[in-house]
Amino acid sequence: QDAEEFARKSLSLNDRLPWTHADLGASLAEQYRLLEDPESGLLDEAIEHYEREVALWSELGPEGGQSVGAFRTAVTNLCDAHLQTGDPERGLESCRIAATEEPDDPVSHYNLAGAYALLGRNGDAFKALERDLELGDTDHAYLETDPWFESIRDDPRFGDLLRRMKAA
């Protein structure tokens, strides 16, 4: 909540600070995750701040002093937030951008796999999960219970992937 407060103060002085939008979005998203009965408004506002950073990047880019790191953080978190709100169609574009911008980041590929699984695109989901594993993700316990992957749990490829993650 302190991070939220300071980010809000900072944005009241200058609304074009990329990291501040990314940080405020992350603060709101984490508060959403930590609450027993979260308010959807927290995640909706987080999405607004991630989208604001993406818009700043599109408008100004690095030539205009925008941070590629803030952009990548915002787009990765935007992907995750859309999936959490149950909107994988909106999330898919952000997930694709994140995986393209961060080709060696397992989280980006994991999130992309989640979007594909939620959309019933199982082959694409497994391809992204394979890349996630190649990049070093071995958190099989989380994958095994993640609701994003409910639709593919009974697929033999899922069990095989979990076995390989455990062995890694």
PDB file of all heavy atoms in Angstrom, residues 121-149:
ATOM      1  N   ARG A 121      -6.668 -23.703 -27.382  1.00  0.00           N
ATOM      2  CA  ARG A 121      -5.644 -23.920 -28.410  1.00  0.00           C
ATOM      3  C   ARG A 121      -4.538 -24.783 -27.800  1.00  0.00           C
ATOM      4  O   ARG A 121      -3.436 -24.321 -27.516  1.00  0.00           O
ATOM      5  CB  ARG A 121      -5.130 -22.577 -28.917  1.00  0.00           C
ATOM      6  CG  ARG A 121      -6.224 -21.795 -29.650  1.00  0.00           C
ATOM      7  CD  ARG A 121      -5.788 -20.439 -30.108  1.00  0.00           C
ATOM      8  NE  ARG A 121      -4.589 -20.496 -30.952  1.00  0.00           N
ATOM      9  CZ  ARG A 121      -4.040 -19.429 -31.488  1.00  0.00           C
ATOM     10  NH1 ARG A 121      -4.565 -18.230 -31.288  1.00  0.00           N
ATOM     11  NH2 ARG A 121      -2.947 -19.541 -32.218  1.00  0.00           N
ATOM     12  N   ASN A 122      -4.864 -26.044 -27.604  1.00  0.00           N
ATOM     13  CA  ASN A 122      -4.004 -26.948 -26.849  1.00  0.00           C
ATOM     14  C   ASN A 122      -2.626 -27.151 -27.465  1.00  0.00           C
ATOM     15  O   ASN A 122      -1.620 -27.180 -26.749  1.00  0.00           O
ATOM     16  CB  ASN A 122      -4.699 -28.291 -26.657  1.00  0.00           C
ATOM     17  CG  ASN A 122      -5.954 -28.162 -25.817  1.00  0.00           C
ATOM     18  OD1 ASN A 122      -6.270 -27.095 -25.306  1.00  0.00           O
ATOM     19  ND2 ASN A 122      -6.688 -29.247 -25.689  1.00  0.00           N
ATOM     20  N   GLY A 123      -2.540 -27.315 -28.775  1.00  0.00           N
ATOM     21  CA  GLY A 123      -1.246 -27.503 -29.416  1.00  0.00           C
ATOM     22  C   GLY A 123      -0.329 -26.314 -29.171  1.00  0.00           C
ATOM     23  O   GLY A 123       0.857 -26.486 -28.849  1.00  0.00           O
ATOM     24  N   ASP A 124      -0.881 -25.118 -29.290  1.00  0.00           N
ATOM     25  CA  ASP A 124      -0.097 -23.911 -29.031  1.00  0.00           C
ATOM     26  C   ASP A 124       0.287 -23.818 -27.557  1.00  0.00           C
ATOM     27  O   ASP A 124       1.390 -23.379 -27.221  1.00  0.00           O
ATOM     28  CB  ASP A 124      -0.874 -22.663 -29.449  1.00  0.00           C
ATOM     29  CG  ASP A 124      -1.053 -22.553 -30.949  1.00  0.00           C
ATOM     30  OD1 ASP A 124      -0.142 -22.968 -31.693  1.00  0.00           O
ATOM     31  OD2 ASP A 124      -2.108 -22.036 -31.385  1.00  0.00           O
ATOM     32  N   ALA A 125      -0.620 -24.244 -26.682  1.00  0.00           N
ATOM     33  CA  ALA A 125      -0.331 -24.221 -25.240  1.00  0.00           C
ATOM     34  C   ALA A 125       0.850 -25.131 -24.925  1.00  0.00           C
ATOM     35  O   ALA A 125       1.766 -24.739 -24.195  1.00  0.00           O
ATOM     36  CB  ALA A 125      -1.557 -24.642 -24.437  1.00  0.00           C
ATOM     37  N   PHE A 126       0.858 -26.332 -25.494  1.00  0.00           N
ATOM     38  CA  PHE A 126       1.966 -27.257 -25.227  1.00  0.00           C
ATOM     39  C   PHE A 126       3.278 -26.750 -25.819  1.00  0.00           C
ATOM     40  O   PHE A 126       4.338 -26.900 -25.209  1.00  0.00           O
ATOM     41  CB  PHE A 126       1.644 -28.666 -25.716  1.00  0.00           C
ATOM     42  CG  PHE A 126       0.742 -29.410 -24.769  1.00  0.00           C
ATOM     43  CD1 PHE A 126      -0.564 -29.686 -25.116  1.00  0.00           C
ATOM     44  CD2 PHE A 126       1.198 -29.805 -23.522  1.00  0.00           C
ATOM     45  CE1 PHE A 126      -1.405 -30.359 -24.237  1.00  0.00           C
ATOM     46  CE2 PHE A 126       0.366 -30.474 -22.635  1.00  0.00           C
ATOM     47  CZ  PHE A 126      -0.943 -30.743 -22.998  1.00  0.00           C
ATOM     48  N   LYS A 127       3.209 -26.129 -26.979  1.00  0.00           N
ATOM     49  CA  LYS A 127       4.424 -25.574 -27.587  1.00  0.00           C
ATOM     50  C   LYS A 127       5.023 -24.505 -26.674  1.00  0.00           C
ATOM     51  O   LYS A 127       6.236 -24.489 -26.431  1.00  0.00           O
ATOM     52  CB  LYS A 127       4.092 -24.983 -28.961  1.00  0.00           C
ATOM     53  CG  LYS A 127       5.291 -24.444 -29.693  1.00  0.00           C
ATOM     54  CD  LYS A 127       4.894 -23.928 -31.075  1.00  0.00           C
ATOM     55  CE  LYS A 127       6.107 -23.317 -31.759  1.00  0.00           C
ATOM     56  NZ  LYS A 127       5.773 -22.734 -33.062  1.00  0.00           N
ATOM     57  N   ALA A 128       4.178 -23.625 -26.133  1.00  0.00           N
ATOM     58  CA  ALA A 128       4.666 -22.575 -25.236  1.00  0.00           C
ATOM     59  C   ALA A 128       5.160 -23.163 -23.911  1.00  0.00           C
ATOM     60  O   ALA A 128       6.160 -22.695 -23.353  1.00  0.00           O
ATOM     61  CB  ALA A 128       3.575 -21.530 -24.991  1.00  0.00           C
ATOM     62  N   LEU A 129       4.496 -24.203 -23.402  1.00  0.00           N
ATOM     63  CA  LEU A 129       4.963 -24.856 -22.175  1.00  0.00           C
ATOM     64  C   LEU A 129       6.306 -25.553 -22.396  1.00  0.00           C
ATOM     65  O   LEU A 129       7.159 -25.562 -21.499  1.00  0.00           O
ATOM     66  CB  LEU A 129       3.928 -25.854 -21.652  1.00  0.00           C
ATOM     67  CG  LEU A 129       2.738 -25.253 -20.924  1.00  0.00           C
ATOM     68  CD1 LEU A 129       1.691 -26.326 -20.635  1.00  0.00           C
ATOM     69  CD2 LEU A 129       3.170 -24.558 -19.631  1.00  0.00           C
ATOM     70  N   GLU A 130       6.498 -26.120 -23.564  1.00  0.00           N
ATOM     71  CA  GLU A 130       7.792 -26.739 -23.874  1.00  0.00           C
ATOM     72  C   GLU A 130       8.899 -25.686 -23.851  1.00  0.00           C
ATOM     73  O   GLU A 130       9.983 -25.928 -23.316  1.00  0.00           O
ATOM     74  CB  GLU A 130       7.752 -27.440 -25.239  1.00  0.00           C
ATOM     75  CG  GLU A 130       6.939 -28.708 -25.277  1.00  0.00           C
ATOM     76  CD  GLU A 130       7.530 -29.858 -24.465  1.00  0.00           C
ATOM     77  OE1 GLU A 130       8.747 -29.845 -24.142  1.00  0.00           O
ATOM     78  OE2 GLU A 130       6.767 -30.795 -24.149  1.00  0.00           O
ATOM     79  N   ARG A 131       8.615 -24.511 -24.405  1.00  0.00           N
ATOM     80  CA  ARG A 131       9.610 -23.432 -24.395  1.00  0.00           C
ATOM     81  C   ARG A 131       9.865 -22.972 -22.966  1.00  0.00           C
ATOM     82  O   ARG A 131      11.016 -22.728 -22.582  1.00  0.00           O
ATOM     83  CB  ARG A 131       9.127 -22.266 -25.266  1.00  0.00           C
ATOM     84  CG  ARG A 131      10.093 -21.124 -25.338  1.00  0.00           C
ATOM     85  CD  ARG A 131      11.349 -21.469 -26.129  1.00  0.00           C
ATOM     86  NE  ARG A 131      12.228 -20.310 -26.180  1.00  0.00           N
ATOM     87  CZ  ARG A 131      13.538 -20.353 -26.007  1.00  0.00           C
ATOM     88  NH1 ARG A 131      14.143 -21.501 -25.845  1.00  0.00           N
ATOM     89  NH2 ARG A 131      14.255 -19.258 -26.032  1.00  0.00           N
ATOM     90  N   ASP A 132       8.820 -22.894 -22.169  1.00  0.00           N
ATOM     91  CA  ASP A 132       8.934 -22.531 -20.755  1.00  0.00           C
ATOM     92  C   ASP A 132       9.877 -23.496 -20.035  1.00  0.00           C
ATOM     93  O   ASP A 132      10.785 -23.075 -19.317  1.00  0.00           O
ATOM     94  CB  ASP A 132       7.533 -22.558 -20.126  1.00  0.00           C
ATOM     95  CG  ASP A 132       7.525 -22.402 -18.627  1.00  0.00           C
ATOM     96  OD1 ASP A 132       8.010 -21.361 -18.131  1.00  0.00           O
ATOM     97  OD2 ASP A 132       7.023 -23.314 -17.940  1.00  0.00           O
ATOM     98  N   LEU A 133       9.717 -24.792 -20.280  1.00  0.00           N
ATOM     99  CA  LEU A 133      10.586 -25.806 -19.678  1.00  0.00           C
ATOM    100  C   LEU A 133      12.017 -25.685 -20.199  1.00  0.00           C
ATOM    101  O   LEU A 133      12.972 -25.737 -19.412  1.00  0.00           O
ATOM    102  CB  LEU A 133      10.034 -27.206 -19.948  1.00  0.00           C
ATOM    103  CG  LEU A 133      10.887 -28.377 -19.469  1.00  0.00           C
ATOM    104  CD1 LEU A 133      11.107 -28.335 -17.965  1.00  0.00           C
ATOM    105  CD2 LEU A 133      10.241 -29.695 -19.884  1.00  0.00           C
ATOM    106  N   GLU A 134      12.171 -25.492 -21.498  1.00  0.00           N
ATOM    107  CA  GLU A 134      13.509 -25.313 -22.079  1.00  0.00           C
ATOM    108  C   GLU A 134      14.264 -24.164 -21.415  1.00  0.00           C
ATOM    109  O   GLU A 134      15.484 -24.203 -21.275  1.00  0.00           O
ATOM    110  CB  GLU A 134      13.410 -25.000 -23.577  1.00  0.00           C
ATOM    111  CG  GLU A 134      13.065 -26.143 -24.465  1.00  0.00           C
ATOM    112  CD  GLU A 134      12.826 -25.683 -25.903  1.00  0.00           C
ATOM    113  OE1 GLU A 134      13.223 -24.542 -26.261  1.00  0.00           O
ATOM    114  OE2 GLU A 134      12.223 -26.453 -26.661  1.00  0.00           O
ATOM    115  N   LEU A 135      13.518 -23.129 -21.031  1.00  0.00           N
ATOM    116  CA  LEU A 135      14.127 -21.941 -20.428  1.00  0.00           C
ATOM    117  C   LEU A 135      14.370 -22.098 -18.930  1.00  0.00           C
ATOM    118  O   LEU A 135      14.843 -21.171 -18.282  1.00  0.00           O
ATOM    119  CB  LEU A 135      13.257 -20.711 -20.707  1.00  0.00           C
ATOM    120  CG  LEU A 135      13.207 -20.310 -22.183  1.00  0.00           C
ATOM    121  CD1 LEU A 135      12.150 -19.244 -22.410  1.00  0.00           C
ATOM    122  CD2 LEU A 135      14.579 -19.829 -22.652  1.00  0.00           C
ATOM    123  N   GLY A 136      14.027 -23.274 -18.390  1.00  0.00           N
ATOM    124  CA  GLY A 136      14.403 -23.556 -17.015  1.00  0.00           C
ATOM    125  C   GLY A 136      13.306 -23.569 -15.977  1.00  0.00           C
ATOM    126  O   GLY A 136      13.577 -23.737 -14.785  1.00  0.00           O
ATOM    127  N   ASP A 137      12.051 -23.412 -16.384  1.00  0.00           N
ATOM    128  CA  ASP A 137      10.966 -23.461 -15.400  1.00  0.00           C
ATOM    129  C   ASP A 137      10.763 -24.907 -14.961  1.00  0.00           C
ATOM    130  O   ASP A 137      10.492 -25.785 -15.775  1.00  0.00           O
ATOM    131  CB  ASP A 137       9.671 -22.914 -15.997  1.00  0.00           C
ATOM    132  CG  ASP A 137       8.534 -22.860 -14.990  1.00  0.00           C
ATOM    133  OD1 ASP A 137       8.725 -23.241 -13.811  1.00  0.00           O
ATOM    134  OD2 ASP A 137       7.428 -22.422 -15.372  1.00  0.00           O
ATOM    135  N   THR A 138      10.924 -25.149 -13.667  1.00  0.00           N
ATOM    136  CA  THR A 138      10.721 -26.497 -13.127  1.00  0.00           C
ATOM    137  C   THR A 138       9.645 -26.518 -12.035  1.00  0.00           C
ATOM    138  O   THR A 138       9.557 -27.467 -11.273  1.00  0.00           O
ATOM    139  CB  THR A 138      12.044 -27.052 -12.548  1.00  0.00           C
ATOM    140  OG1 THR A 138      12.508 -26.156 -11.534  1.00  0.00           O
ATOM    141  CG2 THR A 138      13.089 -27.219 -13.633  1.00  0.00           C
ATOM    142  N   ASP A 139       8.829 -25.495 -11.979  1.00  0.00           N
ATOM    143  CA  ASP A 139       7.810 -25.397 -10.930  1.00  0.00           C
ATOM    144  C   ASP A 139       6.587 -26.239 -11.292  1.00  0.00           C
ATOM    145  O   ASP A 139       5.513 -25.747 -11.589  1.00  0.00           O
ATOM    146  CB  ASP A 139       7.418 -23.940 -10.699  1.00  0.00           C
ATOM    147  CG  ASP A 139       6.617 -23.744  -9.426  1.00  0.00           C
ATOM    148  OD1 ASP A 139       6.243 -24.763  -8.781  1.00  0.00           O
ATOM    149  OD2 ASP A 139       6.346 -22.584  -9.075  1.00  0.00           O
ATOM    150  N   HIS A 140       6.793 -27.544 -11.268  1.00  0.00           N
ATOM    151  CA  HIS A 140       5.744 -28.495 -11.627  1.00  0.00           C
ATOM    152  C   HIS A 140       4.562 -28.443 -10.676  1.00  0.00           C
ATOM    153  O   HIS A 140       3.414 -28.624 -11.094  1.00  0.00           O
ATOM    154  CB  HIS A 140       6.313 -29.917 -11.704  1.00  0.00           C
ATOM    155  CG  HIS A 140       6.962 -30.345 -10.427  1.00  0.00           C
ATOM    156  ND1 HIS A 140       6.266 -30.921  -9.397  1.00  0.00           N
ATOM    157  CD2 HIS A 140       8.258 -30.262 -10.023  1.00  0.00           C
ATOM    158  CE1 HIS A 140       7.098 -31.174  -8.403  1.00  0.00           C
ATOM    159  NE2 HIS A 140       8.316 -30.785  -8.761  1.00  0.00           N
ATOM    160  N   ALA A 141       4.797 -28.163  -9.410  1.00  0.00           N
ATOM    161  CA  ALA A 141       3.697 -28.127  -8.438  1.00  0.00           C
ATOM    162  C   ALA A 141       2.719 -26.999  -8.770  1.00  0.00           C
ATOM    163  O   ALA A 141       1.494 -27.179  -8.666  1.00  0.00           O
ATOM    164  CB  ALA A 141       4.245 -27.954  -7.022  1.00  0.00           C
ATOM    165  N   TYR A 142       3.239 -25.856  -9.174  1.00  0.00           N
ATOM    166  CA  TYR A 142       2.372 -24.735  -9.534  1.00  0.00           C
ATOM    167  C   TYR A 142       1.608 -25.047 -10.821  1.00  0.00           C
ATOM    168  O   TYR A 142       0.395 -24.854 -10.897  1.00  0.00           O
ATOM    169  CB  TYR A 142       3.199 -23.451  -9.691  1.00  0.00           C
ATOM    170  CG  TYR A 142       2.336 -22.220  -9.832  1.00  0.00           C
ATOM    171  CD1 TYR A 142       1.794 -21.603  -8.714  1.00  0.00           C
ATOM    172  CD2 TYR A 142       2.048 -21.695 -11.081  1.00  0.00           C
ATOM    173  CE1 TYR A 142       0.992 -20.485  -8.832  1.00  0.00           C
ATOM    174  CE2 TYR A 142       1.244 -20.577 -11.218  1.00  0.00           C
ATOM    175  CZ  TYR A 142       0.722 -19.967 -10.090  1.00  0.00           C
ATOM    176  OH  TYR A 142      -0.094 -18.871 -10.226  1.00  0.00           O
ATOM    177  N   LEU A 143       2.314 -25.535 -11.823  1.00  0.00           N
ATOM    178  CA  LEU A 143       1.674 -25.869 -13.095  1.00  0.00           C
ATOM    179  C   LEU A 143       0.564 -26.898 -12.892  1.00  0.00           C
ATOM    180  O   LEU A 143      -0.512 -26.784 -13.466  1.00  0.00           O
ATOM    181  CB  LEU A 143       2.715 -26.414 -14.083  1.00  0.00           C
ATOM    182  CG  LEU A 143       2.180 -26.944 -15.406  1.00  0.00           C
ATOM    183  CD1 LEU A 143       1.469 -25.863 -16.206  1.00  0.00           C
ATOM    184  CD2 LEU A 143       3.315 -27.561 -16.226  1.00  0.00           C
ATOM    185  N   GLU A 144       0.834 -27.869 -12.052  1.00  0.00           N
ATOM    186  CA  GLU A 144      -0.114 -28.967 -11.830  1.00  0.00           C
ATOM    187  C   GLU A 144      -1.452 -28.483 -11.272  1.00  0.00           C
ATOM    188  O   GLU A 144      -2.492 -29.084 -11.525  1.00  0.00           O
ATOM    189  CB  GLU A 144       0.514 -29.989 -10.879  1.00  0.00           C
ATOM    190  CG  GLU A 144      -0.147 -31.327 -10.891  1.00  0.00           C
ATOM    191  CD  GLU A 144       0.721 -32.377 -10.218  1.00  0.00           C
ATOM    192  OE1 GLU A 144       1.683 -32.033  -9.495  1.00  0.00           O
ATOM    193  OE2 GLU A 144       0.428 -33.557 -10.436  1.00  0.00           O
ATOM    194  N   THR A 145      -1.443 -27.377 -10.527  1.00  0.00           N
ATOM    195  CA  THR A 145      -2.680 -26.884  -9.903  1.00  0.00           C
ATOM    196  C   THR A 145      -3.201 -25.588 -10.513  1.00  0.00           C
ATOM    197  O   THR A 145      -4.265 -25.123 -10.120  1.00  0.00           O
ATOM    198  CB  THR A 145      -2.458 -26.656  -8.392  1.00  0.00           C
ATOM    199  OG1 THR A 145      -1.442 -25.671  -8.216  1.00  0.00           O
ATOM    200  CG2 THR A 145      -2.081 -27.948  -7.691  1.00  0.00           C
ATOM    201  N   ASP A 146      -2.474 -25.022 -11.463  1.00  0.00           N
ATOM    202  CA  ASP A 146      -2.876 -23.744 -12.057  1.00  0.00           C
ATOM    203  C   ASP A 146      -4.182 -23.925 -12.833  1.00  0.00           C
ATOM    204  O   ASP A 146      -4.254 -24.730 -13.765  1.00  0.00           O
ATOM    205  CB  ASP A 146      -1.770 -23.230 -12.982  1.00  0.00           C
ATOM    206  CG  ASP A 146      -1.997 -21.803 -13.434  1.00  0.00           C
ATOM    207  OD1 ASP A 146      -3.161 -21.352 -13.475  1.00  0.00           O
ATOM    208  OD2 ASP A 146      -1.005 -21.127 -13.755  1.00  0.00           O
ATOM    209  N   PRO A 147      -5.232 -23.182 -12.480  1.00  0.00           N
ATOM    210  CA  PRO A 147      -6.520 -23.336 -13.158  1.00  0.00           C
ATOM    211  C   PRO A 147      -6.488 -22.977 -14.644  1.00  0.00           C
ATOM    212  O   PRO A 147      -7.358 -23.411 -15.397  1.00  0.00           O
ATOM    213  CB  PRO A 147      -7.463 -22.409 -12.382  1.00  0.00           C
ATOM    214  CG  PRO A 147      -6.612 -21.522 -11.563  1.00  0.00           C
ATOM    215  CD  PRO A 147      -5.297 -22.207 -11.383  1.00  0.00           C
ATOM    216  N   TRP A 148      -5.494 -22.230 -15.071  1.00  0.00           N
ATOM    217  CA  TRP A 148      -5.396 -21.915 -16.497  1.00  0.00           C
ATOM    218  C   TRP A 148      -5.278 -23.175 -17.340  1.00  0.00           C
ATOM    219  O   TRP A 148      -5.678 -23.191 -18.497  1.00  0.00           O
ATOM    220  CB  TRP A 148      -4.171 -21.048 -16.781  1.00  0.00           C
ATOM    221  CG  TRP A 148      -4.185 -19.670 -16.221  1.00  0.00           C
ATOM    222  CD1 TRP A 148      -5.226 -19.025 -15.610  1.00  0.00           C
ATOM    223  CD2 TRP A 148      -3.096 -18.753 -16.227  1.00  0.00           C
ATOM    224  NE1 TRP A 148      -4.848 -17.763 -15.237  1.00  0.00           N
ATOM    225  CE2 TRP A 148      -3.533 -17.567 -15.608  1.00  0.00           C
ATOM    226  CE3 TRP A 148      -1.797 -18.816 -16.691  1.00  0.00           C
ATOM    227  CZ2 TRP A 148      -2.715 -16.453 -15.452  1.00  0.00           C
ATOM    228  CZ3 TRP A 148      -0.984 -17.708 -16.532  1.00  0.00           C
ATOM    229  CH2 TRP A 148      -1.440 -16.539 -15.928  1.00  0.00           C
ATOM    230  N   PHE A 149      -4.722 -24.237 -16.756  1.00  0.00           N
ATOM    231  CA  PHE A 149      -4.417 -25.439 -17.526  1.00  0.00           C
ATOM    232  C   PHE A 149      -5.391 -26.586 -17.258  1.00  0.00           C
ATOM    233  O   PHE A 149      -5.110 -27.731 -17.600  1.00  0.00           O
ATOM    234  CB  PHE A 149      -2.961 -25.849 -17.275  1.00  0.00           C
ATOM    235  CG  PHE A 149      -2.004 -24.770 -17.691  1.00  0.00           C
ATOM    236  CD1 PHE A 149      -1.441 -23.927 -16.753  1.00  0.00           C
ATOM    237  CD2 PHE A 149      -1.717 -24.568 -19.026  1.00  0.00           C
ATOM    238  CE1 PHE A 149      -0.589 -22.903 -17.137  1.00  0.00           C
ATOM    239  CE2 PHE A 149      -0.870 -23.547 -19.429  1.00  0.00           C
ATOM    240  CZ  PHE A 149      -0.300 -22.709 -18.482  1.00  0.00           C
TER     241      PHE A 149
END
